Each structure stands twice: as structure tokens, then as C-alpha cells.
Amino acid sequence: MKRVVITGLGAITPLGNDVETFWNNLLEGKSGALTITRFNPENYKTKFACEVKDFDIEKYLQKKDARKMDLYTQYAIGAAEECMVDCGFNTSDWDRSQAGVIWASGIGGIQTFEEELLNFAQDIENPRFSPFFITKMIPNMAAGQLSIRYGLRGVSYTTVSACASSNNAIADAFNFIRLGKAKAILTGGSEAPITRTAVGGFNASKALSTNNEDSRGASRPFDEARDGFVIGEGAGALMLEELDHALDRGAKIYGELIGCGCASDAFHITASHPDGLGAAQAMQEAMRDGGIRSEEVDYINAHATSTPVGDISECKAISAVFEKSLARLHVSATKSMTGHLLGAAGAIEAIACLKAIVNGKIPPTINLKNIDAAINPQLQLTPNQVMEKEINIAMNNTFGFGGHIAVSVFKKYVPR
């Protein structure tokens, strides 16, 4: 098996439109939640979200080209461009037939879908649609646009597994490279779901927080007063490379991806298994895949969306899997600051894991005032303050509607 390392990162997030700004705001414990500006939320149960701020697609594309893309694809291009510059793509001699794209989105172009159908509804007897309606909407188009933009002729497709989507994309990219089927893969995910239909739909399913009086404090994983997740948007991009390929071109290396685990709760379309059976299975599989023991894991970036059932389920799973090493394990929920980026969450949180490894700092779980009594008191949930700690191995958990679970494990890179 080939070894796989990460050589480039890129981020468009509610906390900043580059990796360093995003990371610094995580460490400062800032919340990205504000009143929704994309539409008038007055008549919605939830009136706030973690929107991306000050994003300018014209930094990356001409306006005429941007109009042919949904916002989720535009976010993908913004994050990917930072990642490609960061990994030195434009300054190295790459075999583009051996480089590909595996990109994720849980929903795809929902803004385009909404706009086109609302326009159609105004005059259904004389239907008129944009010629770009389908190509803007379909969730594989971000992968296609990235492949075209950078001339990457290797594998190119999209993973869709709800909120586990981008961790599944990372796992697939990992497997392609370590099996020798690619030298490098641009991977990650993007989402732009802050629309009337998405917010209305999640409200109808009672998944979103309705704490409109305190939007910045609304995403509060593990807290006894949590009442649902805060919807977010953005994109995260990672360049995965075969180790020898990275070394041959003198690339800087953020860390090594050593294992991935996937499972299903096989329980309910939206609720996780109450005992976290699927989550435990995926975490154990990821560690087996990486050849490590539970006591070697230093940090877990939890899925922890701030839902009443989900947080307890995940904590039960972590407590069971890491029963013998809870004293040294730290857990935190960066969704307390970013909100939940749905299909892009895994990629953004993978970046947080890698930055934690490089910097020896665990970002906090903010808004955590009173830990739910149902959560194991031995769990160290990093409330409200950064924890400085040497981190050799970090785990990234993601769970999606439908019972989908994906876990990835990153390790500090040690030169040969």
C-alpha cells in the first residue's frame, strides 16, 4: 500500500475565506452565526445561519462564467484555488493523467433549483428555463468544473452521503492513491444550502435551532440546552498525494492520512442509533485500517451538531471505543463556531484536525455551559478554551441522514 499525505489546504467558511483566517477564528472561539441575509427570514422559525461573508467569486472567475455555476460550485472553486496554490500545483510538473478530483456535496445546487422553479411557477403555461439549469443544479458539477479548471484527467466524480459526504470523498481519494490508481487527488466538499427551501425544509423536520434571541450561542454541542443545529455553508479542499510523489517535488506536508472507516447505523432516516453502534463500528474500522490502537488517538473532532439525540449517541460511541484511554483523549465540536456545513462539514473539519496536529492546539467547543447529564463525565469536551497539547493522531467523525457514517484518521508526518 502507498502512503498518502496532505500537501495543500483551502477553505471558504463562515469564519473566513482562507485557511489561516478560519483557523485563527476557531482558536479565538468566534461564532459565524448571524441573521440570514440571503432571503427575508421574518416568517421562518429559524432566522439565522452561519453564512459565508464577503465572498467574491470574481477573484477566481469572470462574472459571465460564474453565472453558469451554482453558489456551491463557486465555493468549491474558491477553496480549491487556495489549495492548488498552497500545494504548488502551478509551480510543479504534474502528470495530470494521474491526478483527479473526488468532490462532495450533500445537496448540490439547491439555490438554482429553487430559483428556476419559482420562475417557472410564475407562468407555467409558458415554461422558460435557463440553459444552465441542469448543469448548475446537479451535485457532480463542482467535481466536473474543478477537473476542467485544472486539467485533471484522472478519476473524477462526486460522493453524496448527506453530512458524511466529504469524509467519504476523502476516504475514496485515500483508497485510489494507496492502491496505486492515482498520484494525487483534489478532494473535499462544498455546500450552499442557506435558501428558503432548505431552511424551511429543515425547520419542518425540527432539525434546526430556533434560538433566534441568541444566534451566536445557538450552536451548543453537548450542552443540556441545545435545541438543534445551525445551518452553515462553504467549502473545504485538500490535496492528497502519494508520499513519494510529494517528496519528489519537494512539497510541504501537513500530515498523513492513515485510515478511514465507513458504516451505517441502519436505524432511522434522520436519527442516529441511540447507542452509537454505527459510529463505534466506523471508528474501530478507521483505527484498524490505520494500524493504530485506541489509546494512540489524541483528539477527535466530533460530528456533534448540537441536536438532542445525536450528541448523546456519539458520546456513547466514543466512550465505548475509547473506554481505556478517556483520560488522555480530547474531543471538541468546531460546529459550535462554523455551524453545520452539511456535505462540506467533513472537509472543513479535516482541515481543523490537520491544523491541530501541526500547531499543537485543539480548538474549543464554545457555548458549552452545562454539559448534558446523559453524557459521560469522563469525556474531555474542551469547553470554551483552546487546549494546547501535542497531537500525533486526530480523528474526524461525520454522520449523515440515512445512517451514513464516515471516519478518517490523520497522523503527524514524520520524515523518513
PDB file of all heavy atoms in Angstrom, residues 159 161-172 259-265 278-279 281-283 285-286 301-303 314 345-346 349 395-400 403-409:
ATOM      1  N   THR A 159     -19.178  12.234  -4.327  1.00  0.00           N
ATOM      2  CA  THR A 159     -19.793  11.387  -3.309  1.00  0.00           C
ATOM      3  C   THR A 159     -20.965  12.138  -2.683  1.00  0.00           C
ATOM      4  O   THR A 159     -20.865  13.332  -2.402  1.00  0.00           O
ATOM      5  CB  THR A 159     -18.792  11.010  -2.204  1.00  0.00           C
ATOM      6  OG1 THR A 159     -18.257  12.206  -1.635  1.00  0.00           O
ATOM      7  CG2 THR A 159     -17.662  10.170  -2.760  1.00  0.00           C
ATOM      8  N   SER A 161     -23.480  11.443   0.510  1.00  0.00           N
ATOM      9  CA  SER A 161     -23.940  10.662   1.661  1.00  0.00           C
ATOM     10  C   SER A 161     -24.336  11.619   2.774  1.00  0.00           C
ATOM     11  O   SER A 161     -23.900  11.486   3.909  1.00  0.00           O
ATOM     12  CB  SER A 161     -22.863   9.674   2.123  1.00  0.00           C
ATOM     13  OG  SER A 161     -21.614  10.323   2.299  1.00  0.00           O
ATOM     14  N   ALA A 162     -25.154  12.624   2.382  1.00  0.00           N
ATOM     15  CA  ALA A 162     -25.622  13.646   3.317  1.00  0.00           C
ATOM     16  C   ALA A 162     -24.418  14.289   4.002  1.00  0.00           C
ATOM     17  O   ALA A 162     -23.450  14.672   3.344  1.00  0.00           O
ATOM     18  CB  ALA A 162     -26.628  13.057   4.295  1.00  0.00           C
ATOM     19  N   CYS A 163     -24.445  14.380   5.317  1.00  0.00           N
ATOM     20  CA  CYS A 163     -23.412  15.120   6.033  1.00  0.00           C
ATOM     21  C   CYS A 163     -22.108  14.337   6.197  1.00  0.00           C
ATOM     22  O   CYS A 163     -21.139  14.860   6.756  1.00  0.00           O
ATOM     23  CB  CYS A 163     -23.950  15.576   7.383  1.00  0.00           C
ATOM     24  SG  CYS A 163     -25.461  16.553   7.216  1.00  0.00           S
ATOM     25  N   ALA A 164     -22.072  13.106   5.720  1.00  0.00           N
ATOM     26  CA  ALA A 164     -20.827  12.336   5.684  1.00  0.00           C
ATOM     27  C   ALA A 164     -20.129  12.461   4.327  1.00  0.00           C
ATOM     28  O   ALA A 164     -19.059  11.882   4.120  1.00  0.00           O
ATOM     29  CB  ALA A 164     -21.108  10.866   5.984  1.00  0.00           C
ATOM     30  N   SER A 165     -20.712  13.234   3.412  1.00  0.00           N
ATOM     31  CA  SER A 165     -20.269  13.229   2.012  1.00  0.00           C
ATOM     32  C   SER A 165     -18.787  13.526   1.822  1.00  0.00           C
ATOM     33  O   SER A 165     -18.081  12.805   1.117  1.00  0.00           O
ATOM     34  CB  SER A 165     -21.101  14.228   1.200  1.00  0.00           C
ATOM     35  OG  SER A 165     -22.449  13.859   1.142  1.00  0.00           O
ATOM     36  N   SER A 166     -18.283  14.612   2.423  1.00  0.00           N
ATOM     37  CA  SER A 166     -16.891  14.963   2.126  1.00  0.00           C
ATOM     38  C   SER A 166     -15.893  14.075   2.846  1.00  0.00           C
ATOM     39  O   SER A 166     -14.769  13.892   2.373  1.00  0.00           O
ATOM     40  CB  SER A 166     -16.619  16.447   2.413  1.00  0.00           C
ATOM     41  OG  SER A 166     -17.015  16.820   3.696  1.00  0.00           O
ATOM     42  N   ASN A 167     -16.291  13.470   3.962  1.00  0.00           N
ATOM     43  CA  ASN A 167     -15.404  12.471   4.560  1.00  0.00           C
ATOM     44  C   ASN A 167     -15.372  11.211   3.708  1.00  0.00           C
ATOM     45  O   ASN A 167     -14.330  10.542   3.613  1.00  0.00           O
ATOM     46  CB  ASN A 167     -15.852  12.148   5.990  1.00  0.00           C
ATOM     47  CG  ASN A 167     -14.696  12.150   6.983  1.00  0.00           C
ATOM     48  OD1 ASN A 167     -13.551  12.417   6.635  1.00  0.00           O
ATOM     49  ND2 ASN A 167     -14.994  11.850   8.233  1.00  0.00           N
ATOM     50  N   ASN A 168     -16.491  10.864   3.081  1.00  0.00           N
ATOM     51  CA  ASN A 168     -16.486   9.758   2.124  1.00  0.00           C
ATOM     52  C   ASN A 168     -15.617  10.083   0.915  1.00  0.00           C
ATOM     53  O   ASN A 168     -14.914   9.207   0.382  1.00  0.00           O
ATOM     54  CB  ASN A 168     -17.899   9.427   1.662  1.00  0.00           C
ATOM     55  CG  ASN A 168     -18.635   8.490   2.590  1.00  0.00           C
ATOM     56  OD1 ASN A 168     -19.757   8.747   3.011  1.00  0.00           O
ATOM     57  ND2 ASN A 168     -18.015   7.377   2.930  1.00  0.00           N
ATOM     58  N   ALA A 169     -15.635  11.343   0.460  1.00  0.00           N
ATOM     59  CA  ALA A 169     -14.781  11.746  -0.664  1.00  0.00           C
ATOM     60  C   ALA A 169     -13.312  11.601  -0.291  1.00  0.00           C
ATOM     61  O   ALA A 169     -12.496  11.104  -1.085  1.00  0.00           O
ATOM     62  CB  ALA A 169     -15.089  13.184  -1.062  1.00  0.00           C
ATOM     63  N   ILE A 170     -12.959  12.023   0.917  1.00  0.00           N
ATOM     64  CA  ILE A 170     -11.583  11.894   1.391  1.00  0.00           C
ATOM     65  C   ILE A 170     -11.181  10.419   1.457  1.00  0.00           C
ATOM     66  O   ILE A 170     -10.070  10.038   1.045  1.00  0.00           O
ATOM     67  CB  ILE A 170     -11.436  12.575   2.765  1.00  0.00           C
ATOM     68  CG1 ILE A 170     -11.547  14.099   2.605  1.00  0.00           C
ATOM     69  CG2 ILE A 170     -10.109  12.204   3.425  1.00  0.00           C
ATOM     70  CD1 ILE A 170     -11.706  14.850   3.917  1.00  0.00           C
ATOM     71  N   ALA A 171     -12.080   9.576   1.951  1.00  0.00           N
ATOM     72  CA  ALA A 171     -11.790   8.139   2.042  1.00  0.00           C
ATOM     73  C   ALA A 171     -11.578   7.531   0.658  1.00  0.00           C
ATOM     74  O   ALA A 171     -10.651   6.724   0.459  1.00  0.00           O
ATOM     75  CB  ALA A 171     -12.926   7.422   2.767  1.00  0.00           C
ATOM     76  N   ASP A 172     -12.410   7.911  -0.292  1.00  0.00           N
ATOM     77  CA  ASP A 172     -12.256   7.375  -1.643  1.00  0.00           C
ATOM     78  C   ASP A 172     -10.945   7.832  -2.271  1.00  0.00           C
ATOM     79  O   ASP A 172     -10.241   7.045  -2.924  1.00  0.00           O
ATOM     80  CB  ASP A 172     -13.426   7.812  -2.522  1.00  0.00           C
ATOM     81  CG  ASP A 172     -14.691   7.011  -2.266  1.00  0.00           C
ATOM     82  OD1 ASP A 172     -14.709   6.202  -1.325  1.00  0.00           O
ATOM     83  OD2 ASP A 172     -15.684   7.187  -3.018  1.00  0.00           O
ATOM     84  N   GLY A 259      -5.960   6.129   7.829  1.00  0.00           N
ATOM     85  CA  GLY A 259      -7.057   5.164   7.871  1.00  0.00           C
ATOM     86  C   GLY A 259      -8.413   5.822   7.735  1.00  0.00           C
ATOM     87  O   GLY A 259      -8.599   6.982   8.099  1.00  0.00           O
ATOM     88  N   CYS A 260      -9.362   5.063   7.213  1.00  0.00           N
ATOM     89  CA  CYS A 260     -10.746   5.523   7.086  1.00  0.00           C
ATOM     90  C   CYS A 260     -11.677   4.362   7.434  1.00  0.00           C
ATOM     91  O   CYS A 260     -11.358   3.199   7.185  1.00  0.00           O
ATOM     92  CB  CYS A 260     -11.050   6.005   5.674  1.00  0.00           C
ATOM     93  SG  CYS A 260     -10.152   7.494   5.177  1.00  0.00           S
ATOM     94  N   GLY A 261     -12.802   4.698   8.006  1.00  0.00           N
ATOM     95  CA  GLY A 261     -13.806   3.693   8.318  1.00  0.00           C
ATOM     96  C   GLY A 261     -15.190   4.179   7.931  1.00  0.00           C
ATOM     97  O   GLY A 261     -15.520   5.343   8.146  1.00  0.00           O
ATOM     98  N   CYS A 262     -15.986   3.312   7.353  1.00  0.00           N
ATOM     99  CA  CYS A 262     -17.344   3.660   6.959  1.00  0.00           C
ATOM    100  C   CYS A 262     -18.311   2.614   7.500  1.00  0.00           C
ATOM    101  O   CYS A 262     -17.975   1.429   7.596  1.00  0.00           O
ATOM    102  CB  CYS A 262     -17.477   3.724   5.437  1.00  0.00           C
ATOM    103  SG  CYS A 262     -16.438   4.988   4.669  1.00  0.00           S
ATOM    104  N   ALA A 263     -19.501   3.059   7.862  1.00  0.00           N
ATOM    105  CA  ALA A 263     -20.514   2.143   8.397  1.00  0.00           C
ATOM    106  C   ALA A 263     -21.881   2.781   8.224  1.00  0.00           C
ATOM    107  O   ALA A 263     -22.002   3.904   7.729  1.00  0.00           O
ATOM    108  CB  ALA A 263     -20.235   1.841   9.879  1.00  0.00           C
ATOM    109  N   SER A 264     -22.900   2.054   8.660  1.00  0.00           N
ATOM    110  CA  SER A 264     -24.259   2.579   8.656  1.00  0.00           C
ATOM    111  C   SER A 264     -24.921   2.273   9.991  1.00  0.00           C
ATOM    112  O   SER A 264     -24.740   1.187  10.550  1.00  0.00           O
ATOM    113  CB  SER A 264     -25.087   1.955   7.535  1.00  0.00           C
ATOM    114  OG  SER A 264     -26.446   2.366   7.623  1.00  0.00           O
ATOM    115  N   ASP A 265     -25.687   3.227  10.484  1.00  0.00           N
ATOM    116  CA  ASP A 265     -26.467   2.972  11.691  1.00  0.00           C
ATOM    117  C   ASP A 265     -27.600   1.987  11.412  1.00  0.00           C
ATOM    118  O   ASP A 265     -28.035   1.269  12.315  1.00  0.00           O
ATOM    119  CB  ASP A 265     -27.069   4.270  12.228  1.00  0.00           C
ATOM    120  CG  ASP A 265     -26.209   4.884  13.322  1.00  0.00           C
ATOM    121  OD1 ASP A 265     -25.592   4.119  14.078  1.00  0.00           O
ATOM    122  OD2 ASP A 265     -26.172   6.116  13.426  1.00  0.00           O
ATOM    123  N   GLY A 278     -23.286   2.292  14.968  1.00  0.00           N
ATOM    124  CA  GLY A 278     -22.614   2.539  13.692  1.00  0.00           C
ATOM    125  C   GLY A 278     -21.385   3.402  13.854  1.00  0.00           C
ATOM    126  O   GLY A 278     -20.339   3.163  13.227  1.00  0.00           O
ATOM    127  N   ALA A 279     -21.491   4.416  14.699  1.00  0.00           N
ATOM    128  CA  ALA A 279     -20.346   5.303  14.936  1.00  0.00           C
ATOM    129  C   ALA A 279     -19.187   4.532  15.547  1.00  0.00           C
ATOM    130  O   ALA A 279     -18.028   4.705  15.138  1.00  0.00           O
ATOM    131  CB  ALA A 279     -20.770   6.451  15.851  1.00  0.00           C
ATOM    132  N   GLN A 281     -18.576   1.351  15.282  1.00  0.00           N
ATOM    133  CA  GLN A 281     -18.038   0.442  14.267  1.00  0.00           C
ATOM    134  C   GLN A 281     -17.116   1.175  13.305  1.00  0.00           C
ATOM    135  O   GLN A 281     -16.032   0.681  12.961  1.00  0.00           O
ATOM    136  CB  GLN A 281     -19.196  -0.205  13.503  1.00  0.00           C
ATOM    137  CG  GLN A 281     -18.763  -1.175  12.412  1.00  0.00           C
ATOM    138  CD  GLN A 281     -19.946  -1.845  11.742  1.00  0.00           C
ATOM    139  OE1 GLN A 281     -20.933  -2.181  12.399  1.00  0.00           O
ATOM    140  NE2 GLN A 281     -19.866  -2.043  10.435  1.00  0.00           N
ATOM    141  N   ALA A 282     -17.521   2.369  12.854  1.00  0.00           N
ATOM    142  CA  ALA A 282     -16.710   3.122  11.899  1.00  0.00           C
ATOM    143  C   ALA A 282     -15.404   3.599  12.531  1.00  0.00           C
ATOM    144  O   ALA A 282     -14.342   3.565  11.889  1.00  0.00           O
ATOM    145  CB  ALA A 282     -17.508   4.306  11.358  1.00  0.00           C
ATOM    146  N   MET A 283     -15.458   4.046  13.776  1.00  0.00           N
ATOM    147  CA  MET A 283     -14.226   4.482  14.449  1.00  0.00           C
ATOM    148  C   MET A 283     -13.260   3.313  14.628  1.00  0.00           C
ATOM    149  O   MET A 283     -12.047   3.455  14.411  1.00  0.00           O
ATOM    150  CB  MET A 283     -14.561   5.127  15.792  1.00  0.00           C
ATOM    151  CG  MET A 283     -15.188   6.507  15.677  1.00  0.00           C
ATOM    152  SD  MET A 283     -15.380   7.367  17.271  1.00  0.00           S
ATOM    153  CE  MET A 283     -16.851   6.565  17.905  1.00  0.00           C
ATOM    154  N   GLU A 285     -13.126   0.625  12.770  1.00  0.00           N
ATOM    155  CA  GLU A 285     -12.630   0.261  11.442  1.00  0.00           C
ATOM    156  C   GLU A 285     -11.550   1.227  10.982  1.00  0.00           C
ATOM    157  O   GLU A 285     -10.544   0.818  10.396  1.00  0.00           O
ATOM    158  CB  GLU A 285     -13.782   0.240  10.439  1.00  0.00           C
ATOM    159  CG  GLU A 285     -13.372   0.029   8.986  1.00  0.00           C
ATOM    160  CD  GLU A 285     -12.628  -1.274   8.745  1.00  0.00           C
ATOM    161  OE1 GLU A 285     -12.846  -2.249   9.512  1.00  0.00           O
ATOM    162  OE2 GLU A 285     -11.817  -1.320   7.807  1.00  0.00           O
ATOM    163  N   ALA A 286     -11.735   2.522  11.241  1.00  0.00           N
ATOM    164  CA  ALA A 286     -10.731   3.508  10.848  1.00  0.00           C
ATOM    165  C   ALA A 286      -9.404   3.254  11.554  1.00  0.00           C
ATOM    166  O   ALA A 286      -8.328   3.383  10.957  1.00  0.00           O
ATOM    167  CB  ALA A 286     -11.240   4.916  11.152  1.00  0.00           C
ATOM    168  N   ASN A 301     -12.287  15.356  16.408  1.00  0.00           N
ATOM    169  CA  ASN A 301     -13.209  16.415  16.012  1.00  0.00           C
ATOM    170  C   ASN A 301     -14.556  15.735  15.817  1.00  0.00           C
ATOM    171  O   ASN A 301     -14.768  15.014  14.844  1.00  0.00           O
ATOM    172  CB  ASN A 301     -12.747  17.115  14.734  1.00  0.00           C
ATOM    173  CG  ASN A 301     -13.546  18.372  14.451  1.00  0.00           C
ATOM    174  OD1 ASN A 301     -14.771  18.319  14.338  1.00  0.00           O
ATOM    175  ND2 ASN A 301     -12.866  19.486  14.322  1.00  0.00           N
ATOM    176  N   ALA A 302     -15.442  15.936  16.779  1.00  0.00           N
ATOM    177  CA  ALA A 302     -16.707  15.211  16.802  1.00  0.00           C
ATOM    178  C   ALA A 302     -17.682  15.748  15.758  1.00  0.00           C
ATOM    179  O   ALA A 302     -17.652  16.936  15.420  1.00  0.00           O
ATOM    180  CB  ALA A 302     -17.334  15.302  18.187  1.00  0.00           C
ATOM    181  N   HIS A 303     -18.569  14.884  15.306  1.00  0.00           N
ATOM    182  CA  HIS A 303     -19.624  15.339  14.399  1.00  0.00           C
ATOM    183  C   HIS A 303     -20.520  16.336  15.124  1.00  0.00           C
ATOM    184  O   HIS A 303     -20.850  17.388  14.569  1.00  0.00           O
ATOM    185  CB  HIS A 303     -20.436  14.147  13.899  1.00  0.00           C
ATOM    186  CG  HIS A 303     -21.490  14.529  12.916  1.00  0.00           C
ATOM    187  ND1 HIS A 303     -21.197  15.014  11.658  1.00  0.00           N
ATOM    188  CD2 HIS A 303     -22.849  14.518  13.005  1.00  0.00           C
ATOM    189  CE1 HIS A 303     -22.317  15.277  11.015  1.00  0.00           C
ATOM    190  NE2 HIS A 303     -23.339  14.989  11.818  1.00  0.00           N
ATOM    191  N   GLU A 314     -23.268   9.961  19.841  1.00  0.00           N
ATOM    192  CA  GLU A 314     -21.844   9.985  19.502  1.00  0.00           C
ATOM    193  C   GLU A 314     -20.985   9.863  20.759  1.00  0.00           C
ATOM    194  O   GLU A 314     -19.967   9.158  20.757  1.00  0.00           O
ATOM    195  CB  GLU A 314     -21.495  11.263  18.752  1.00  0.00           C
ATOM    196  CG  GLU A 314     -20.037  11.313  18.304  1.00  0.00           C
ATOM    197  CD  GLU A 314     -19.711  12.508  17.437  1.00  0.00           C
ATOM    198  OE1 GLU A 314     -20.543  13.432  17.351  1.00  0.00           O
ATOM    199  OE2 GLU A 314     -18.613  12.516  16.848  1.00  0.00           O
ATOM    200  N   ALA A 345     -18.978  19.548   5.682  1.00  0.00           N
ATOM    201  CA  ALA A 345     -18.508  19.534   7.064  1.00  0.00           C
ATOM    202  C   ALA A 345     -17.252  18.689   7.242  1.00  0.00           C
ATOM    203  O   ALA A 345     -16.297  19.103   7.913  1.00  0.00           O
ATOM    204  CB  ALA A 345     -19.610  19.025   7.987  1.00  0.00           C
ATOM    205  N   GLY A 346     -17.224  17.501   6.672  1.00  0.00           N
ATOM    206  CA  GLY A 346     -16.084  16.604   6.853  1.00  0.00           C
ATOM    207  C   GLY A 346     -14.785  17.198   6.364  1.00  0.00           C
ATOM    208  O   GLY A 346     -13.726  17.019   6.984  1.00  0.00           O
ATOM    209  N   GLU A 349     -13.670  20.078   8.710  1.00  0.00           N
ATOM    210  CA  GLU A 349     -13.207  19.544   9.990  1.00  0.00           C
ATOM    211  C   GLU A 349     -11.932  18.721   9.837  1.00  0.00           C
ATOM    212  O   GLU A 349     -11.129  18.620  10.778  1.00  0.00           O
ATOM    213  CB  GLU A 349     -14.353  18.773  10.648  1.00  0.00           C
ATOM    214  CG  GLU A 349     -15.431  19.747  11.117  1.00  0.00           C
ATOM    215  CD  GLU A 349     -16.834  19.178  11.191  1.00  0.00           C
ATOM    216  OE1 GLU A 349     -16.996  17.943  11.125  1.00  0.00           O
ATOM    217  OE2 GLU A 349     -17.778  19.986  11.314  1.00  0.00           O
ATOM    218  N   MET A 395      -8.734  12.224  14.867  1.00  0.00           N
ATOM    219  CA  MET A 395      -9.827  11.520  14.202  1.00  0.00           C
ATOM    220  C   MET A 395     -10.930  12.510  13.854  1.00  0.00           C
ATOM    221  O   MET A 395     -11.229  13.426  14.631  1.00  0.00           O
ATOM    222  CB  MET A 395     -10.366  10.421  15.127  1.00  0.00           C
ATOM    223  CG  MET A 395     -11.575   9.669  14.597  1.00  0.00           C
ATOM    224  SD  MET A 395     -12.103   8.335  15.721  1.00  0.00           S
ATOM    225  CE  MET A 395     -10.856   7.086  15.370  1.00  0.00           C
ATOM    226  N   ASN A 396     -11.547  12.298  12.706  1.00  0.00           N
ATOM    227  CA  ASN A 396     -12.603  13.180  12.216  1.00  0.00           C
ATOM    228  C   ASN A 396     -13.872  12.364  11.983  1.00  0.00           C
ATOM    229  O   ASN A 396     -13.897  11.486  11.125  1.00  0.00           O
ATOM    230  CB  ASN A 396     -12.139  13.843  10.906  1.00  0.00           C
ATOM    231  CG  ASN A 396     -13.162  14.794  10.335  1.00  0.00           C
ATOM    232  OD1 ASN A 396     -13.994  15.334  11.054  1.00  0.00           O
ATOM    233  ND2 ASN A 396     -13.096  15.002   9.032  1.00  0.00           N
ATOM    234  N   ASN A 397     -14.927  12.653  12.751  1.00  0.00           N
ATOM    235  CA  ASN A 397     -16.196  11.916  12.648  1.00  0.00           C
ATOM    236  C   ASN A 397     -17.233  12.686  11.842  1.00  0.00           C
ATOM    237  O   ASN A 397     -17.417  13.891  12.063  1.00  0.00           O
ATOM    238  CB  ASN A 397     -16.790  11.673  14.045  1.00  0.00           C
ATOM    239  CG  ASN A 397     -16.051  10.621  14.830  1.00  0.00           C
ATOM    240  OD1 ASN A 397     -15.176   9.937  14.315  1.00  0.00           O
ATOM    241  ND2 ASN A 397     -16.399  10.483  16.097  1.00  0.00           N
ATOM    242  N   THR A 398     -17.938  11.981  10.966  1.00  0.00           N
ATOM    243  CA  THR A 398     -19.064  12.591  10.248  1.00  0.00           C
ATOM    244  C   THR A 398     -20.190  11.583  10.103  1.00  0.00           C
ATOM    245  O   THR A 398     -19.960  10.414   9.785  1.00  0.00           O
ATOM    246  CB  THR A 398     -18.660  13.078   8.838  1.00  0.00           C
ATOM    247  OG1 THR A 398     -18.019  12.009   8.129  1.00  0.00           O
ATOM    248  CG2 THR A 398     -17.731  14.268   8.898  1.00  0.00           C
ATOM    249  N   PHE A 399     -21.415  12.059  10.326  1.00  0.00           N
ATOM    250  CA  PHE A 399     -22.611  11.221  10.222  1.00  0.00           C
ATOM    251  C   PHE A 399     -23.635  11.944   9.342  1.00  0.00           C
ATOM    252  O   PHE A 399     -23.757  13.163   9.410  1.00  0.00           O
ATOM    253  CB  PHE A 399     -23.236  10.972  11.601  1.00  0.00           C
ATOM    254  CG  PHE A 399     -22.268  10.574  12.675  1.00  0.00           C
ATOM    255  CD1 PHE A 399     -22.450  10.999  13.978  1.00  0.00           C
ATOM    256  CD2 PHE A 399     -21.167   9.788  12.392  1.00  0.00           C
ATOM    257  CE1 PHE A 399     -21.558  10.635  14.985  1.00  0.00           C
ATOM    258  CE2 PHE A 399     -20.271   9.423  13.379  1.00  0.00           C
ATOM    259  CZ  PHE A 399     -20.464   9.846  14.684  1.00  0.00           C
ATOM    260  N   GLY A 400     -24.409  11.180   8.565  1.00  0.00           N
ATOM    261  CA  GLY A 400     -25.383  11.799   7.679  1.00  0.00           C
ATOM    262  C   GLY A 400     -26.757  11.169   7.767  1.00  0.00           C
ATOM    263  O   GLY A 400     -26.894   9.999   8.140  1.00  0.00           O
ATOM    264  N   GLY A 403     -28.301   7.340   7.984  1.00  0.00           N
ATOM    265  CA  GLY A 403     -27.443   6.453   8.765  1.00  0.00           C
ATOM    266  C   GLY A 403     -26.013   6.368   8.292  1.00  0.00           C
ATOM    267  O   GLY A 403     -25.222   5.571   8.812  1.00  0.00           O
ATOM    268  N   HIS A 404     -25.620   7.191   7.308  1.00  0.00           N
ATOM    269  CA  HIS A 404     -24.262   7.127   6.744  1.00  0.00           C
ATOM    270  C   HIS A 404     -23.232   7.630   7.747  1.00  0.00           C
ATOM    271  O   HIS A 404     -23.411   8.678   8.360  1.00  0.00           O
ATOM    272  CB  HIS A 404     -24.179   7.964   5.473  1.00  0.00           C
ATOM    273  CG  HIS A 404     -25.287   7.697   4.503  1.00  0.00           C
ATOM    274  ND1 HIS A 404     -25.450   6.478   3.886  1.00  0.00           N
ATOM    275  CD2 HIS A 404     -26.292   8.476   4.065  1.00  0.00           C
ATOM    276  CE1 HIS A 404     -26.514   6.530   3.089  1.00  0.00           C
ATOM    277  NE2 HIS A 404     -27.048   7.730   3.194  1.00  0.00           N
ATOM    278  N   ILE A 405     -22.138   6.902   7.877  1.00  0.00           N
ATOM    279  CA  ILE A 405     -21.071   7.270   8.811  1.00  0.00           C
ATOM    280  C   ILE A 405     -19.723   7.124   8.115  1.00  0.00           C
ATOM    281  O   ILE A 405     -19.456   6.109   7.469  1.00  0.00           O
ATOM    282  CB  ILE A 405     -21.101   6.378  10.069  1.00  0.00           C
ATOM    283  CG1 ILE A 405     -22.448   6.539  10.798  1.00  0.00           C
ATOM    284  CG2 ILE A 405     -19.947   6.722  11.008  1.00  0.00           C
ATOM    285  CD1 ILE A 405     -22.690   5.506  11.857  1.00  0.00           C
ATOM    286  N   ALA A 406     -18.888   8.154   8.242  1.00  0.00           N
ATOM    287  CA  ALA A 406     -17.531   8.098   7.699  1.00  0.00           C
ATOM    288  C   ALA A 406     -16.579   8.722   8.706  1.00  0.00           C
ATOM    289  O   ALA A 406     -16.856   9.777   9.279  1.00  0.00           O
ATOM    290  CB  ALA A 406     -17.443   8.828   6.364  1.00  0.00           C
ATOM    291  N   VAL A 407     -15.456   8.052   8.906  1.00  0.00           N
ATOM    292  CA  VAL A 407     -14.451   8.482   9.883  1.00  0.00           C
ATOM    293  C   VAL A 407     -13.085   8.446   9.210  1.00  0.00           C
ATOM    294  O   VAL A 407     -12.752   7.478   8.508  1.00  0.00           O
ATOM    295  CB  VAL A 407     -14.457   7.554  11.118  1.00  0.00           C
ATOM    296  CG1 VAL A 407     -13.324   7.914  12.075  1.00  0.00           C
ATOM    297  CG2 VAL A 407     -15.802   7.612  11.833  1.00  0.00           C
ATOM    298  N   SER A 408     -12.302   9.477   9.417  1.00  0.00           N
ATOM    299  CA  SER A 408     -10.936   9.497   8.884  1.00  0.00           C
ATOM    300  C   SER A 408      -9.948   9.752  10.018  1.00  0.00           C
ATOM    301  O   SER A 408     -10.278  10.404  11.014  1.00  0.00           O
ATOM    302  CB  SER A 408     -10.775  10.557   7.785  1.00  0.00           C
ATOM    303  OG  SER A 408     -11.235  11.818   8.214  1.00  0.00           O
ATOM    304  N   VAL A 409      -8.729   9.240   9.857  1.00  0.00           N
ATOM    305  CA  VAL A 409      -7.697   9.363  10.888  1.00  0.00           C
ATOM    306  C   VAL A 409      -6.437   9.954  10.271  1.00  0.00           C
ATOM    307  O   VAL A 409      -5.902   9.420   9.281  1.00  0.00           O
ATOM    308  CB  VAL A 409      -7.372   7.993  11.522  1.00  0.00           C
ATOM    309  CG1 VAL A 409      -6.288   8.152  12.580  1.00  0.00           C
ATOM    310  CG2 VAL A 409      -8.614   7.382  12.149  1.00  0.00           C
TER     311      VAL A 409
END
